[in-house]
Amino acid sequence: MKKIDIFNHIWPKPFHEALIDHVGETTDITRRSEAVPMMTDLDRRFEVMNMFGEDYCQILSLASPPFEKYADPDKSLDLAKIASDSMAELCQQYPDRFPGFIGSAVMNNPDAVVEEARRNIEDLGAVGMQIFTNVGGKPLDLPEFEPFFEYMAKSGKAVWMHPARGANFPDYLTEDQSEYEIWWTFGWPYETSAAMARMVFSGLFDRHPGLNVVTHHAGGMVPFFEGRVGPGWDQMGARTTDRDLAAVRKALKKPHLEYFKDFYADTATFGSATAIKHAIEFFGEDHVMFASDAPFDPEAGPMYIRETIRILDELDIPEETRRKVYQDNAAKLLGLSI
């Protein structure tokens, strides 16, 4: 069976050059991305991919951080276009290696985001669009982002949601920044979970039926806290007196836990078999897809791919489920021929 890696990251050469031309030199998280050879060196990417045989292929997406970290809305749009055009060209040149790419939504440019999403999907053939869990600190359920989700629901293509949080988000209110990279280790799973909750309780999925969202890193914290998410939130409002939160939950068209289970999740868990198994149990075998998060591992490329494949091959699940996770679910959601 094919192994379709639906969430890994790249900086195509034209995008990388445009980025450096804009920022001068990389710092912090951008430097982390640039320092990994597989991110910018296509030959090295192919060397790593060759380690896992002809059946291994990648759906391409840009790496962190979001555009608003280093560009204004207009420059963000310019960089997004370069990135999407470059990834589309790679898919045309190497269709067996890269059967699809995910466009980058310029959420910090609400006036252009829908048209750029349309261009990606309808003109360039993107299999979906990538967003981040917040937009410069703004939650995704604000009205200014509604047209984007409306378009994506109508397009039939999925939204890939990547966590975003930096060291400037402190662990404690008395501090100015996060310590020990807690902002990444625990902050990113929290970001994913919080964004999922805002989508659910704001009624986004009721307003836009058919909207599909792929969560990175096995759905963040949600599967592990099913009890708090389900029965815990059945008591929404019991802890709050300044507004009627019970009315929020009751306004949803179905029980809130069902919306959380409707998300898709990937297997990019940095080698945790338990996390992958739990994601399959929570989201269901039809809503989990193989992903590695390459090349952000201690070996700069092969480790997370190798370990995720090992886990999936050894996991005590039916062969039909394994096939769904590796290829069938992605083929169906992304519209791929396999």
Side-chain angles (χ1 to χ4, degrees):
M1 67 186 79
K2 284 191 174 296
K3 297 177 175 63
I4 306 173
D5 190 338
I6 63 107
F7 224 150
N8 61 91
H9 305 293
I10 191 172
W11 277 356
K13 184 176 180 180
F15 171 80
H16 182 218
E17 291 175 346
L19 175 64
I20 297 303
D21 183 63
H22 173 62
V23 301
E25 64 177 357
T26 55
T27 58
D28 299 328
I29 195 168
T30 49
R31 179 173 293 169
R32 173 179 180 249
S33 293
E34 186 184 42
V36 182
M38 185 178 160
M39 183 68 66
T40 57
D41 186 337
L42 196 60
D43 289 337
R44 177 54 183 163
R45 180 170 289 263
F46 287 155
E47 287 178 2
V48 171
M49 293 179 71
N50 288 343
M51 299 176 187
F52 305 101
E54 295 180 356
D55 291 330
Y56 175 76
C57 58
Q58 295 182 338
I59 305 299
L60 299 175
S61 63
L62 279 195
S64 294
F67 294 123
E68 60 265 22
K69 178 76 173 179
Y70 50 78
D72 64 23
D74 289 338
K75 188 62 179 181
S76 295
L77 180 60
D78 291 341
L79 291 170
K81 288 181 176 179
I82 293 170
S84 293
D85 291 346
S86 301
M87 289 189 288
E89 184 176 347
L90 287 173
C91 292
Q92 292 169 358
Q93 290 179 331
Y94 309 101
D96 293 335
R97 299 272 196 176
F98 311 126
F101 79 96
I102 307 158
S104 297
V106 282
M107 300 294 278
N108 64 328
N109 191 332
D111 293 335
V113 66
V114 173
E115 172 55 27
E116 180 60 7
R118 187 211 61 76
R119 188 183 79 90
N120 270 263
I121 291 170
E122 299 176 30
D123 297 346
L124 299 181
V127 297
M129 297 297 293
Q130 179 177 224
I131 64 172
F132 288 82
T133 49
N134 67 78
V135 184
K138 294 180 179 180
L140 295 171
D141 58 350
L142 292 182
E144 65 191 88
F145 306 127
E146 192 88 3
F148 169 76
F149 291 113
E150 180 181 12
Y151 171 77
M152 292 305 296
K154 291 178 179 177
S155 76
K157 297 299 182 181
V159 174
W160 271 250
M161 187 165 67
H162 194 289
R165 186 178 178 125
N168 63 328
F169 200 121
D171 312 313
Y172 295 93
L173 292 175
T174 57
E175 298 179 339
D176 295 325
Q177 68 175 25
S178 176
E179 296 292 341
Y180 315 116
E181 297 186 354
I182 293 172
W183 60 268
W184 179 87
T185 305
F186 297 124
W188 279 19
Y190 172 82
E191 273 284 331
T192 299
S193 309
M196 293 166 71
R198 293 292 290 252
M199 288 179 168
V200 169
F201 290 114
S202 66
L204 185 68
F205 296 107
D206 286 343
R207 294 192 299 276
H208 305 296
L211 177 64
N212 292 311
V213 178
V214 181
T215 63
H216 210 4
H217 309 136
M221 299 161 57
V222 170
F224 295 95
F225 293 98
E226 180 177 0
R228 298 179 76 90
V229 173
W233 255 328
D234 280 339
Q235 304 171 72
M236 178 182 284
R239 296 166 287 266
T240 304
T241 58
D242 63 340
R243 56 184 296 211
D244 186 7
L245 289 180
V248 172
R249 178 174 50 80
K250 293 175 182 177
L252 298 175
K253 293 183 178 180
K254 59 184 182 181
H256 64 274
L257 188 60
E258 293 184 23
Y259 294 93
F260 283 95
K261 289 180 176 287
D262 283 342
F263 284 92
Y264 286 79
D266 69 22
T267 63
T269 61
F270 313 107
S272 172
T274 301
I276 293 173
K277 185 173 185 294
H278 202 172
I280 295 172
E281 291 171 348
F282 180 83
F283 294 104
E285 62 179 18
D286 296 325
H287 275 232
V288 177
M289 296 178 289
F290 167 58
S292 66
D293 206 16
F296 295 118
D297 62 70
E299 297 174 10
M303 178 181 172
Y304 287 161
I305 303 173
R306 182 181 66 247
E307 289 304 296
T308 306
I309 290 174
R310 179 188 62 78
I311 289 168
L312 286 173
D313 286 351
E314 294 177 356
L315 209 58
D316 185 16
I317 54 176
E319 193 66 12
E320 180 183 1
T321 300
R322 203 177 338 269
R323 179 177 292 272
K324 286 182 177 182
V325 173
Y326 268 136
Q327 66 168 40
D328 292 353
N329 294 338
K332 183 178 180 180
L333 183 66
L334 280 60
L336 303 176
S337 299
I338 55 175

